[in-house]
Amino acid sequence: MRAEQLRDTAAEWEVVASATPFTGAKTAVRTDDVVMPDGTVARRDYQVHPGSVAVLALDDDDRVLVLNQYRHPVRHKLWEIPAGLLDVPGENPLSAAQRELYEEAHVKADDWRVLVDVYTTPGGCDEAVRVFLARGVTDAEGERFAAEGEELDLTLDRVPVADLLRGVLAGDLHNNCLMLGVLALQAARADGGLDALRPANAPWPARPFTS
């Protein structure tokens, strides 16, 4: 296979019936009856998700801004990078990422790039996440965002990239956005450098947005 052929492509098999047995505050569960290549019909249940953004904020000392937060479904307090839902249909993901960085860490950044795009669990959820690289990080002005829920117990730190890489490979860190972010950062440095990353407003077919 040639390198230019190595890309995911859009496709949509026929759906002969669809239902939404559960709708929550932010996500839903959908059941589709999908026609298989041999003509049979198979039922597929999956979570419908608005999409998310995450930010790997890198400071001048090669440290990443991370937060520690309780995640009830997995019964763990996880080290993560700032992230949040795309709450507004058609919202520019860069604007959402800048908002999340401000709300969760009270910082801003001068330079933004797309680090990596990912479908988190495509076998059971349609969530798509865009992970940004943010550089030129400085404290934000104004009042801090009022925390609620799990965020009341949230703690912040800045951790060297090398320590995060060791934690990922040792099996000590499990948040997918943090893992993808630091591994993609390392890969980008080894292949063209960080300035060669896609611009912050690069097209994102998984979640089209207005400029």
Side-chain angles (χ1 to χ4, degrees):
M1 178 182 293
R2 297 192 301 272
E4 60 269 21
Q5 295 177 298
L6 190 61
R7 62 174 61 238
D8 298 333
T9 55
E12 187 168 354
W13 291 359
E14 182 183 3
V15 175
V16 294
S18 184
T20 306
F22 170 80
T23 300
K26 299 293 184 181
T27 66
V29 173
R30 182 175 296 160
T31 297
D32 288 344
D33 291 342
V34 186
V35 179
M36 298 290 108
D38 63 357
T40 61
V41 175
R43 179 156 293 177
R44 296 290 180 259
D45 302 319
Y46 59 100
Q47 183 184 21
V48 179
H49 195 285
S52 306
V53 291
V55 185
L56 191 143
L58 186 68
D59 70 15
D60 293 338
D61 295 319
D62 208 42
R63 300 177 303 173
V64 174
L65 194 153
V66 295
L67 52 91
N68 192 247
Q69 185 171 356
Y70 176 66
R71 293 301 188 182
H72 186 70
V74 296
R75 308 307 199 268
H76 270 71
K77 292 189 73 175
L78 300 179
W79 286 105
E80 306 178 351
I81 56 177
L85 297 175
L86 288 168
D87 295 314
V88 181
E91 181 180 21
N92 189 307
L94 175 59
S95 299
Q98 291 170 332
R99 180 185 68 239
E100 291 299 332
L101 188 62
Y102 172 81
E103 291 181 356
E104 295 192 348
H106 201 67
V107 299
K108 59 183 180 179
D110 294 330
D111 187 272
W112 290 80
R113 311 278 172 146
V114 175
L115 194 52
V116 67
D117 297 327
V118 61
Y119 288 116
T120 56
T121 49
C125 180
D126 71 351
E127 181 185 16
V129 180
R130 169 158 281 187
V131 182
F132 289 91
L133 171 66
R135 293 181 291 174
V137 176
T138 56
D139 292 336
E141 300 174 353
E143 296 184 5
R144 286 187 173 273
F145 185 76
E148 59 182 23
E150 289 88 347
E151 293 177 351
L152 292 169
D153 190 50
L154 183 149
T155 57
L156 294 169
D157 206 341
R158 297 192 184 202
V159 179
V161 172
D163 291 347
L164 293 174
L165 285 167
R166 281 191 288 270
V168 168
L169 297 178
D172 296 328
L173 301 173
H174 304 89
N175 175 264
N176 56 2
C177 291
L178 184 150
M179 295 171 68
L180 285 167
V182 297
L183 292 172
L185 177 73
Q186 189 79 341
R189 283 174 163 170
D191 184 19
L194 302 184
D195 290 336
L197 290 167
R198 286 174 290 162
N201 274 319
W204 189 17
R207 292 293 185 273
F209 58 91
T210 56
S211 56

